[in-house]
Amino acid sequence: MKDPMPLVKRIEQLLPKKPVEALDYCSELRGIALEKKKYDLLAREEGYRGRSYIAISKVSEGKQTLAHALGWYRRWQQYDSYAGLINSVGADYYQLKEYQNARQWLAAAVQTATRTHAPQVLYKSLYNLGKIEELTGNFLSARRYMEKSLDIASSSRMPLDLSPMLLSLGKLHKNQGHFSQAEQVLVRGRKYAQDKQEWPQALRMGLEIASLFMDQKNYPESRIMYHEVLRTAQERNLLYYELLARIGLVKVLLLIQDSQEIVRVIEEAVHILKNRPNLQNPETIEVFKLAALVSQKVLSDKTRAYVYYVHYRKAIDQYHR
């Protein structure tokens, strides 16, 4: 008999952005569940199918199918799965930018997870609500939700990942100009991620700290932090974060007018892109833009600046195709 887990993982990757494809895999998963008489798997499939129906605007069918799955979880007292499915629907609406529906489902998930003592769902629901409030400009509510989410995750006996919450809360403080609080949260997050060897998360925290120092015009500390991120990204062969660190470092060096280091840093960034022509992202655009700027303002080389400007325009065209 076929192993259902690859199908489960595939459906979870597709939802909610590719619901039609998800439904095709749901049919296959349902067949396996019926063949094996695994009713917990059948309930999971109904949850996926209900979420897929909602994503293609078949709301009535979606809610009916979800009700079947939720009823099964309730009867068998699988309250973690019950609350988790409600949170997943709310998270789907959040990704689809239907924030009012997202709020309703996530609020229901918070109530259910609180009542059934499911902290591993409760912290996710609160975090998702915090992100929605942040996106809609309700920053005080966003901070309260995120701080509550972080408190629950920190005190849980189960191993829960704190990195996304620490990063989001730190960025929220930073964007509101609460620099002291932002630094405290981000430094904590960076150490946490380093201790767990979650290097992409640790590098994200470091980049935010460096950017925070820039916002405060503390250019020496910002420069040091960008160098630390750059060194770690190179050691871990994380090219994307190396580019981000170089972009930030060039901006600092432009402000403090260190012409010697800035040329080396930007040229190495350009060298990376020339050896990885498949990289087409906003960072590629930013590198060529900065290279043109350095060529013109630091090297006074108009010809070189024009060449990089052409690369910059091509990168924009390719990115928006």
Side-chain angles (χ1 to χ4, degrees):
M1 291 184 182
K2 190 170 182 179
D3 180 7
M5 291 315 296
L7 283 174
V8 167
K9 291 179 181 178
R10 183 60 180 151
I11 294 168
E12 289 176 346
Q13 290 171 347
L14 291 169
L15 285 172
K17 295 297 181 66
K18 297 182 178 180
V20 176
E21 292 181 43
L23 280 170
D24 290 338
Y25 288 106
C26 282
S27 297
E28 192 174 347
L29 182 62
R30 184 176 183 82
I32 295 172
L34 290 170
E35 183 181 0
K36 292 187 174 186
K37 296 182 179 180
K38 291 183 68 68
Y39 299 109
D40 57 337
L41 185 61
L42 189 61
R44 179 182 275 196
E45 184 277 330
E46 285 187 325
Y48 291 144
R49 187 151 42 91
R51 291 167 59 192
S52 299
Y53 283 146
I54 286 176
I56 58 175
S57 299
K58 291 187 175 182
V59 178
S60 178
E61 294 96 322
K63 288 184 176 179
Q64 185 177 17
T65 307
L66 289 170
H68 289 160
L70 291 169
W72 192 92
Y73 289 138
R74 188 171 54 249
R75 284 194 302 274
W76 289 94
Q77 298 182 2
Q78 294 189 8
Y79 297 121
D80 287 357
S81 297
Y82 183 89
L85 178 54
I86 297 172
N87 173 71
S88 293
V89 177
D92 287 349
Y93 275 124
Y94 162 54
Q95 290 192 49
L96 294 169
K97 300 181 180 180
E98 296 185 29
Y99 298 134
Q100 190 56 41
N101 284 323
R103 282 192 182 97
Q104 292 174 0
W105 281 86
L106 290 170
V110 167
Q111 292 177 352
T112 304
T114 301
R115 186 176 65 251
T116 59
H117 305 290
Q120 67 276 19
V121 178
L122 180 57
Y123 92 97
K124 291 180 181 178
S125 303
L126 289 166
Y127 175 74
N128 287 330
L129 280 168
K131 294 300 292 182
I132 291 171
E133 295 305 312
E134 181 183 14
L135 285 169
T136 53
N138 301 314
F139 300 120
L140 181 58
S141 295
R143 191 169 74 248
R144 287 172 177 168
Y145 280 129
M146 288 184 186
E147 287 174 344
K148 183 63 174 176
S149 174
L150 183 59
D151 287 343
I152 292 169
S154 299
S155 60
S156 175
R157 295 180 181 179
M158 299 182 66
L160 304 177
D161 186 11
L162 305 184
S163 293
M165 287 170 286
L166 289 165
L167 179 60
S168 292
L169 183 57
K171 289 172 68 174
L172 181 61
H173 278 304
K174 172 177 171 286
N175 293 337
Q176 289 187 272
H178 303 156
F179 296 139
S180 178
Q181 296 96 318
E183 183 178 352
Q184 184 179 7
V185 173
L186 291 168
V187 168
R188 175 188 171 188
R190 183 168 180 251
K191 184 179 185 307
Y192 171 84
Q194 287 174 332
D195 290 345
K196 294 179 70 68
Q197 297 189 344
E198 296 175 349
W199 298 113
Q201 291 283 25
L203 293 170
R204 288 189 186 101
M205 303 283 187
L207 289 166
E208 285 297 328
I209 294 169
S211 175
L212 173 65
F213 288 143
M214 275 192 71
D215 290 346
Q216 296 174 284
K217 295 183 170 51
N218 187 349
Y219 303 131
E221 288 297 324
S222 180
R223 181 181 190 175
I224 290 170
M225 183 55 65
Y226 276 126
H227 271 294
E228 289 185 15
V229 173
L230 177 57
R231 182 172 61 253
T232 303
Q234 289 174 320
E235 290 171 353
R236 302 291 165 182
N237 196 29
L238 294 169
L239 185 62
Y240 174 71
Y241 296 100
E242 180 180 345
L243 282 177
L244 288 176
R246 290 187 181 281
I247 288 169
L249 185 56
V250 168
K251 291 178 179 179
V252 172
L253 295 172
L254 278 169
L255 289 168
I256 63 176
Q257 298 181 344
D258 187 328
S259 58
Q260 185 173 357
E261 184 181 3
I262 197 172
V263 174
R264 176 178 57 80
V265 173
I266 194 63
E267 283 183 346
E268 288 174 356
V270 170
H271 179 74
I272 290 171
L273 294 180
K274 287 182 177 178
N275 285 285
R276 297 290 184 94
N278 59 320
L279 279 174
Q280 295 299 333
N281 49 46
E283 289 69 43
T284 304
I285 296 168
E286 191 73 9
V287 167
F288 285 125
K289 179 181 177 181
L290 287 171
L293 186 63
V294 169
S295 297
Q296 182 177 0
K297 291 189 174 292
V298 178
L299 298 176
S300 300
D301 189 334
K302 292 184 179 180
T303 302
R304 185 188 184 97
Y306 178 74
V307 170
Y308 282 133
Y309 178 76
V310 170
H311 284 297
Y312 162 69
R313 293 303 311 173
K314 286 182 178 178
I316 290 176
D317 292 341
Q318 290 176 349
Y319 179 70
H320 291 291
R321 279 179 183 174

